[in-house]
């Protein structure tokens, strides 16, 4: 409960961020956890489930109640003392205190308590699962911003390279060494690259806006500055696909949520079946009253205190209730509970299959991105060499401008492909770390 209160306080107290601070991935995740409203909603559900547990525990206690009634009668009415009709006004007062205590109900209360306890635990794991989903939403959005940021840097480098080519071509044109058509082609390519740079800038801002929305960032978009890390590649060893799934199976909050939901449905079924059994209870009551129609031998109304003592009545008894027939409602309730058990069991098995498939796919993609990165570096190296050779050939008049620009575009595309592979690799790496129980955001 202290942890829930701590999370709640973090949620209601906005986190102040300086406009010039650069946030790392971990800091973005922490900010989102502390400010995202989905987490706050899950906290409320956990609190609500804890109240269900308390209510189930109180079902073991007896029910005690009392009442005080005051009645003023006028006109023709029945004398509560003699049950005869009278025609004058009178006042009467009755008071009672009663106790009802169910001693045995087929262990229904026990099953209801276990049901609420499982529901409470399930809500806690559901809150953890929501937090983990939020973590990877932030990771994905953060890497989208980083991808578009690096893409923007690549386009800037391409523009800088094209500007140098255009400047050299203009100088050669003035000396009569290059045709004006080549210069025009180069300038057209330069303007196209400037357009691509603007598009990359816009996409980066769109990605940043998505990140801000997920984080529930309480400052203007242009104040969000991110610090991109340069993590090393190929430093992790996650073992085999089966070992990863086995580890994740044992600590997955999502699977624990479905498992506890299944357990609670079993308890609910037992609770419904318990209604077939007899119910044993204890009851007791004490009541008294004051009536203005109660008079003594002299015709005076007996005083309130005297009537309160004289009319005192006490009752103690045992009640045995045997259910026989209630429009078949209990049998139908048991059937519905059985269906809920079957649904919960099927959902748990389906989730296990989906997680096994997801873990397997992520592991295989992580290995595939390793190979893509290795090959991508070779492609960049080859394209860089090809561009240097093509530039030299163009200077010597051995190839035309279209061929040179084509080689240059291949070099830029190779850099973009490598960037995408690296970020996808890092995303899969974060997932595999999570599967192994590594909370990298803490």
């Amino acid at each position: 409960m202290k942890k829930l209160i701590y999370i709640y306080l973090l949620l209601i107290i906005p986190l102040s961020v300086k406009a010039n601070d650069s946030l790392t991935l971990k800091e973005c995740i922490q900010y989102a956890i502390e400010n995202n409203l989905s987490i706050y909603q899950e906290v409320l559900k956990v609190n609500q489930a804890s109240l269900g547990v308390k209510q189930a525990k109180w079902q073991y206690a007896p029910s005690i109640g009392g009442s005080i009634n005051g009645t003023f009668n006028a006109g023709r009415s029945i004398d509560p003392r003699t049950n005869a009709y009278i025609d004058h006004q009178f006042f009467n007062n009755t008071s009672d205190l009663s106790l009802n205590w169910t001693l045995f109900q087929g262990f229904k209360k026990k099953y209801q308590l276990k049901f609420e306890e499982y529901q409470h635990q399930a809500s806690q794991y559901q809150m953890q699962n929501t937090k983990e989903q939020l973590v990877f939403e932030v990771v994905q959005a953060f890497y989208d911003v980083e991808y578009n940021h690096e893409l923007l840097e690549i386009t800037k480098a391409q523009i800088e390279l094209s500007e140098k080519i255009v400047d050299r071509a203009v100088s050669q044109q003035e000396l009569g060494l290059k045709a004006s058509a080549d210069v025009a082609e180069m300038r057209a390519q330069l303007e196209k690259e400037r357009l691509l740079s603007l598009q990359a800038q816009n996409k980066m801002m769109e990605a940043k806006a998505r990140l801000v929305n997920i984080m529930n960032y309480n400052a203007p978009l242009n104040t969000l500055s991110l610090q991109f890390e340069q993590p090393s590649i190929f430093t992790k060893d996650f073992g085999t696909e089966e070992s990863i799934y086995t580890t994740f199976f044992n600590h997955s909050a999502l699977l624990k949520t479905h498992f506890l939901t299944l357990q609670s449905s079993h308890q609910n079924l037992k609770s419904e079946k318990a209604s077939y059994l007899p119910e044993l209870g204890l009851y007791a009551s004490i009541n008294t009253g004051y009536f203005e129609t109660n008079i003594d031998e002299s015709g005076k109304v007996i005083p309130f205190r005297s009537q309160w003592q004289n009319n005192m009545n006490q009752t103690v008894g045992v009640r045995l209730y045997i259910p026989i027939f209630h429009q078949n409602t209990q049998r139908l309730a048991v059937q519905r509970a059985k269906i809920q058990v079957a649904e919960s069991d099927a959902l748990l098995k389906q989730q296990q299959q989906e997680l096994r498939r997801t873990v397997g796919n992520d592991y295989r993609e992580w290995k595939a991105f390793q190979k893509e990165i290795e090959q991508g570096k070779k492609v960049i190296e080859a394209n860089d060499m090809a561009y240097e050779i093509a530039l030299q050939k163009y200077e010597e008049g051995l190839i035309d401008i279209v061929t040179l620009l084509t080689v240059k575009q291949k070099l830029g595309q190779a850099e973009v492909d490598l960037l995408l592979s690296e970020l996808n690799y890092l995303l899969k790496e974060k997932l595999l770390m999570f599967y192994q129980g590594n909370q990298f955001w803490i």
Side-chain angles (χ1 to χ4, degrees), residues 375-385 411 414-416 418:
Q375 188 61 32
K377 291 179 179 179
K378 295 178 182 179
V379 170
I380 288 180
E381 183 179 353
N383 278 278
D384 187 57
M385 184 179 298
L411 175 59
E415 293 175 343
V416 172
L418 177 60

Side-chain angles (χ1 to χ4, degrees), residues 3-15:
K3 292 182 178 179
L4 295 178
I5 295 174
Y6 175 71
I7 294 175
Y8 173 73
L9 291 175
L10 289 175
L11 288 168
I12 63 174
I13 301 175
L15 180 64

Side-chain angles (χ1 to χ4, degrees), residues 101-109 111 270-282 318-326 330:
W101 194 2
T102 302
L103 302 177
F104 180 77
Q105 203 176 9
F107 301 107
K108 188 179 183 68
K109 295 178 181 179
Y111 299 137
K270 292 179 180 179
S271 176
E272 294 295 347
K273 287 183 176 180
S275 298
Y276 288 138
L277 300 177
E279 179 180 318
L280 178 65
L282 174 68
V318 177
R319 180 178 64 88
L320 178 65
Y321 172 75
I322 302 175
I324 298 176
F325 181 73
H326 291 285
Q330 193 55 45

Side-chain angles (χ1 to χ4, degrees), residues 405-423:
L405 294 178
T406 300
V407 175
K408 178 175 173 292
Q409 289 174 354
K410 287 183 179 180
L411 175 59
Q413 186 60 48
E415 293 175 343
V416 172
D417 292 341
L418 177 60
L419 170 63
L420 184 59
S421 297
E422 288 177 341
L423 292 179

Side-chain angles (χ1 to χ4, degrees), residues 232-236 238 365-367 369-370 373 420-430:
S232 57
I233 306 295
F234 310 145
T235 59
K236 301 290 190 304
F238 295 105
E365 289 178 1
W366 175 72
K367 300 288 287 186
F369 286 131
Q370 283 186 352
I373 292 172
L420 184 59
S421 297
E422 288 177 341
L423 292 179
N424 283 328
Y425 172 86
L426 293 176
L427 176 60
K428 296 301 178 181
E429 183 181 71
K430 290 289 190 298

